[in-house]
Amino acid sequence: MLDLAILGLLEERDLHGYEIRRQLREHLGLLANVSFGSIYPALTRLEKSGAVVATEGGGTEAPGPAAAPAPPTGSLSGELAVLRSRRHSPARARRGKKVYRITETGRQLFAELLAGGGATDDARSFGLRLAFARHLAPQARLALLERRRALLVQRLGEAEEARADLDVYARSVVQHTADGIARDISWLDTLIASERDDLATAGTEPVT
Amino acid sequence: MLDLAILGLLEERDLHGYEIRRQLREHLGLLANVSFGSIYPALTRLEKSGAVVATEGGGTEAPGPAAAPAPPTGSLSGELAVLRSRRHSPARARRGKKVYRITETGRQLFAELLAGGGATDDARSFGLRLAFARHLAPQARLALLERRRALLVQRLGEAEEARADLDVYARSVVQHTADGIARDISWLDTLIASERDDLATAGTEPVT
DNA sequence: GGAAGAGTATATCGGTTCGATATAGCGGTG
DNA sequence: CACCGCTATATCGAACCGATATACTCTTCC
């Protein structure tokens, strides 16, 4: 689900496809190494479903190397300005750069995906969800962590049942993977403890 | 690349689709949790390319050399299924059960995939390759491990470059992932050392 | 000054995998 | 004997990837 990742980035600023990919690779490269063959179809998809809108931005923005296409905070007027400039100066606009903005529908979808909506159990989805967990309510965050923990514990149990007649290499791979899951679980434990701590102190000491 | 996994299993005994899935889940469940939606197309694919042949139904064993579908030592359910089906439905083999056998072409393909033929860099492919590494020549095994190690070291380096302005959650995920890669590397180191050791003792002490 | 190359940007194609679903024979149990 | 769960094969749509095509812009070097 890279819809989640895209919406998460758009939640902070408007971006175009190329920038989205760069940000993902730069910040979450180990977690989500996405290709254009995924990004652009995903954006089209999201646009079709109304979660984002594309503004044909030919914006004469600062052409610096790190030029973030984020418009000034006056969002509506910015949008109009872009449209107007597009209308008035036709041809240029560096080959139809499409800047995407998240909509209200998109924010709802994001919240739903984040909370575990179209729940896919793979590590990447979870990692992505957790990476955007600051957009989640504290108790939802805790629920996410605990759901993940329960899943991993179950998986580990199933794996332990049938550790069978494997040769050295296969056994080593399986053992290493299992160790990795155990490590994930104890990592989750520290996160869960920290969350609980936050909840408790927020509850008992509302004033600092 | 689950072609690799399928061929690897068929390398040992003839199997049908359902059994292949079960074996994969049972033995390598953490590594390759495959669904039927992948298995059957893959088998069709492999059959079309001549890597495997399908023999309709239960009976008719051992016309070819050495590849009897049921060696008596295993006590595996596949064996039992074959025996059961043979006992209860002699000629018809319950709704066209297709048993697949690997061909010489298939063995070549397997060797090629194992050595890193259609090289995909994901963890699963590598895990699968290593799990079947006993079919590999010692130096090819070593090369596989070292290639993987180099890749992971590079990835880790790239990730370290850009550890930037992330909030607690995103940073935790990224850090945890990076730690996992570091752990993978040191695991590979022990495997590499072990392989080198084997090579050395095999070289200097050809007689045990 | 202009050719070459690197970087920015969007898009499509074929192929693989997944999850869900359909179908159907079979064994055992209430 | 009717039902349930297991065995077994198969297909569908959607998602993702890697490769590839296209085209514009900016810098660099001769």
Side-chain angles (χ1 to χ4, degrees), chain B residues 150-180:
Chain B
L151 181 76
L152 290 188
V153 166
Q154 189 209 340
R155 269 231 255 280
L156 202 51
E158 284 169 6
E160 220 135 290
E161 269 179 28
R163 199 75 50 83
D165 49 316
L166 300 172
D167 69 297
V168 225
Y169 298 106
R171 170 144 47 230
S172 182
V173 178
V174 171
Q175 185 60 49
H176 179 68
T177 310
D179 289 353

Side-chain angles (χ1 to χ4, degrees), chain B residues 144-154 185 188-189 192:
Chain B
L144 173 67
L145 292 170
E146 284 176 337
R147 241 175 18 243
R148 181 70 184 167
R149 189 189 189 279
L151 181 76
L152 290 188
V153 166
Q154 189 209 340
I185 291 174
L188 286 173
D189 282 339
I192 288 171

